[in-house]
Amino acid sequence: MPAWHVLVWWVLLAMAFLGSALVVGRLDSRRRLVALRSRFYLGVPWGSILSLGVVLVVYLVVQEGAVHWERPLAIPFSAWSYLYPLGWLFAAFAHVGPGHLLSNLTSAAVLAPLAEYVLGHYPGTETEAWHADPRIRAFVLFPTFVLGLGVFTSLFTWGPVIGFSGVVFAFAGFVLVRYPLAAVIALAARSAVRTVAGALGEPVAVVETTASVSPPWWYGIAVQGHALGFLAGVLAGVALLRHRRLRPDPFRLWVGSLLVCLSLSLWAIWWVRGESTFVLYRALGVVLVAVLATLITAAPTASDRALVGRLTRRQVATALLVVPLVGMCLVAVPLNLTTVEAQPSEDAVTVGGYAVFYGEDVSNQLFSVVEIEAFGETTDVTTSGVIVVNEDRNVWGREVTKAELETHGEGTVRIGGLAWSETIEVEREGWVVGDDPVYRVHLEHDGERTVAYASDPVAVRGSIDGRAVALVADEDGFHIELDGVVRAPVPGPGESVTAGGIVFVREDDALYAVDGATAVVIAEEESYASSQEDR
């Protein structure tokens, strides 16, 4: 779409919302503006603006998103281990791509101002304390609280994590306890904001159906990290209510808790079985959400009557919320102190301490870092694809899956650190013999191309002129094998080669074996869908 078309749509969208806001403003007089000024310095949520600005700067500058918008530098800014401070310092504010970034920013744009509104820039009572200054509360305290919360979620989330979602969930939990209905409405508003953001970014969308390699939408959701942030926000909200001696309506809080927890997919408890099988424990997740909603309701609303010894009902309910939070943190410590057992292949491309290689059926160290078997599941799972390892940074990640290469034939891996980055291009080429592929995977860096992987030979079904024929992939290319002996390279387009008295002809994307007057297709060159970036 031409740039001026996009600009026209932006102007139309701005005029529509501005006009709508002006009409409502006239109908509502100045009451809402007065309410905002009573809570915010000059009526503006400065802390939220600054916090979201930090996230955007990290993406554009630190992750080089301004230059590589679609493929920011994400690997060095993930929280791989306590032994890699750069990761856990930046992980909560970095993102893997524009979709991830915009999803968290739009959610935060709705929830962060509500959380800041609950705190307020003005103290509830007259005081001369330094933190009573609304400018300090707006420009220092709230942003500092957000930054600290981000580092907290990075430190105590299990395994590698990246993204602002833990903080976003903390905002949701904090707002929920004080204003349950507002939290529910905010989640509906989040969907509306995403729709508007999508209209700004892509005013007109043209979509073509293509092959998909996407796992289920819930695979990869950092449920434990989301729960960690959410519980931290809820407990902070409960503490604030007690400090201000406020007690919310129990029924509203219970209904709001159920709706918010379900809308935020806190029920999506999942696991992975091997290469391409995923398990979702939906019913168990919903049961846990119901229990969580009950505890959230009881913590700020239960009576102060003694229940166990000197412990009141409200104290016990709050403790039951603290226990899972502390438990998750205690589990995170040994997990995040583990080190990477790097075993890159001999064909790995090494740059700046990183080893990039292709492997199949290798141990997935994102799950098998600790060997556990329970409830029919195991952490001993494998994976296939392009893997990045860095022992110094305790990095181990599968960056391009085997399925992605099968579908698109190419991929990109970006590695680096503060102030430096390198790009490694991945390409797959192959043939399909019957239903089975024989293929090679290349890694290219700085103009140097390396064959990172060659699959096993694939035999042609039946025989040709009494000979067993197979296709072989190796470092030199693709070859024709007869009776277990490599005889000739696969010919180029429009060319032919003779091996063992059989003529092999390549026309377009097919390889034929010619025996007298008979020509048989023995293999077809792999074809790939356009990449996501092209689409």
Side-chain angles (χ1 to χ4, degrees):
M1 178 181 294
W4 69 270
H5 281 191
V6 176
L7 184 60
V8 168
W9 281 110
W10 283 13
V11 171
L12 288 175
L13 286 166
M15 291 176 61
F17 280 95
L18 215 65
S20 178
L22 288 173
V23 171
V24 174
R26 295 284 294 180
L27 294 173
D28 197 42
S29 186
R30 295 177 57 84
R31 286 181 296 173
R32 295 294 183 272
L33 184 59
V34 171
L36 289 177
R37 286 183 175 273
S38 69
R39 301 294 298 174
F40 294 141
Y41 179 64
L42 301 179
V44 178
W46 299 108
S48 300
I49 294 172
L50 286 176
S51 301
L52 270 63
V54 168
V55 175
L56 192 58
V57 167
V58 168
Y59 189 88
L60 295 176
V61 179
V62 179
Q63 295 187 256
E64 301 180 357
V67 180
H68 303 279
W69 173 252
E70 293 289 340
R71 301 182 186 278
L73 190 58
I75 294 174
F77 303 112
S78 298
W80 299 98
S81 165
Y82 291 155
L83 306 178
Y84 178 45
L86 182 68
W88 53 258
L89 281 172
F90 278 94
F93 314 103
H95 293 82
V96 297
H100 189 206
L101 171 72
L102 294 177
S103 174
N104 282 334
L105 281 184
T106 52
S107 298
V110 172
L111 291 166
L114 287 175
E116 192 172 359
Y117 182 88
V118 172
L119 283 175
H121 296 171
Y122 297 91
T125 57
E126 292 296 328
T127 175
E128 295 182 359
W130 64 272
H131 56 76
D133 189 320
R135 292 164 296 185
I136 296 294
R137 296 165 75 98
F139 295 103
V140 178
L141 293 185
F142 188 81
T144 301
F145 169 74
V146 171
L147 294 176
L149 187 59
V151 173
F152 169 78
T153 58
S154 296
L155 287 173
F156 295 107
T157 297
W158 301 347
V161 65
I162 186 170
F164 199 56
S165 56
V167 179
V168 171
F169 275 69
F171 290 151
F174 187 72
V175 173
L176 169 67
V177 177
R178 181 65 181 92
Y179 296 112
L181 182 59
V184 173
I185 294 174
L187 293 181
R190 177 183 66 163
S191 177
V193 169
R194 288 180 177 178
T195 301
V196 174
L200 287 171
E202 192 176 17
V204 178
V206 179
V207 179
E208 296 180 6
T209 57
T210 59
S212 174
V213 296
S214 300
W217 65 266
W218 37 264
Y219 169 69
I221 292 179
V223 180
Q224 182 270 336
H226 291 175
L228 183 78
F230 184 75
L231 284 175
V234 167
L235 288 169
V238 169
L240 184 68
L241 289 181
R242 291 189 182 181
H243 175 71
R244 294 179 178 176
R245 298 181 180 180
L246 298 172
R247 194 184 296 263
D249 177 81
F251 182 74
R252 285 188 178 184
L253 182 54
W254 177 71
V255 172
S257 299
L258 277 176
L259 294 176
V260 167
C261 290
L262 291 172
S263 297
L264 291 174
S265 300
L266 285 172
W267 52 268
I269 300 174
W270 58 271
W271 194 245
V272 58
R273 292 176 184 167
E275 190 66 39
S276 58
T277 303
F278 309 94
V279 186
L280 176 64
Y281 297 96
R282 193 193 308 269
L284 174 62
V286 172
V287 169
L288 292 178
V289 161
V291 173
L292 180 59
T294 303
L295 294 177
I296 292 173
T297 303
T301 64
S303 69
D304 290 323
R305 292 172 54 189
L307 181 64
V308 180
R310 294 184 179 181
L311 293 176
T312 67
R313 298 171 184 266
R314 186 156 50 162
Q315 288 173 334
V316 171
T318 303
L320 290 175
L321 280 177
V322 173
V323 168
L325 181 67
V326 173
M328 286 188 288
C329 292
L330 292 177
V331 171
V333 172
L335 285 177
N336 296 338
L337 280 172
T338 56
T339 57
V340 170
E341 296 179 3
Q343 295 180 338
S345 68
E346 295 179 356
D347 299 315
V349 174
T350 57
V351 183
Y354 291 93
V356 183
F357 64 99
Y358 181 91
E360 294 194 358
D361 297 322
V362 298
S363 176
N364 190 334
Q365 293 194 32
L366 297 182
F367 296 94
S368 58
V369 63
V370 177
E371 294 186 7
I372 299 175
E373 291 189 13
F375 306 107
E377 304 295 348
T378 178
T379 59
D380 185 14
V381 294
T382 60
T383 189
S384 301
V386 181
I387 297 166
V388 177
V389 174
N390 189 314
E391 288 185 311
D392 296 333
R393 296 174 171 84
N394 282 285
V395 171
W396 191 101
R398 186 203 59 194
E399 295 304 309
V400 183
T401 68
K402 177 184 177 182
E404 287 175 307
L405 289 177
E406 287 176 343
T407 302
H408 301 305
E410 61 183 6
T412 301
V413 175
R414 299 198 65 228
I415 55 177
L418 280 176
W420 73 276
S421 66
E422 297 287 342
T423 300
I424 297 173
E425 301 293 340
V426 185
E427 183 181 355
R428 167 172 163 151
E429 59 176 349
W431 292 83
V432 179
V433 181
D435 295 325
D436 300 316
V438 54
Y439 53 92
R440 306 193 310 164
V441 176
H442 302 270
L443 299 177
E444 184 173 343
H445 174 253
D446 276 350
E448 294 186 9
R449 189 176 174 89
T450 303
V451 177
Y453 183 84
S455 66
D456 294 332
V458 176
V460 177
R461 293 178 183 176
S463 62
I464 300 173
D465 193 22
R467 316 292 291 275
V469 179
L471 247 62
V472 178
D474 56 29
E475 292 187 358
D476 298 323
F478 295 94
H479 294 80
I480 300 165
E481 181 182 87
L482 276 73
D483 297 329
V485 179
V486 173
R487 297 297 181 88
V490 171
E495 298 178 354
S496 64
V497 65
T498 301
I502 303 174
V503 178
F504 295 90
V505 180
R506 181 172 173 182
E507 293 184 4
D508 298 326
D509 296 331
L511 180 63
Y512 295 83
V514 181
D515 181 17
T518 304
V520 179
V521 176
I522 64 170
E524 293 183 321
E525 194 172 10
E526 282 191 336
S527 61
Y528 307 108
S530 60
S531 68
Q532 184 66 38
E533 188 172 330
D534 294 335
R535 293 196 302 273

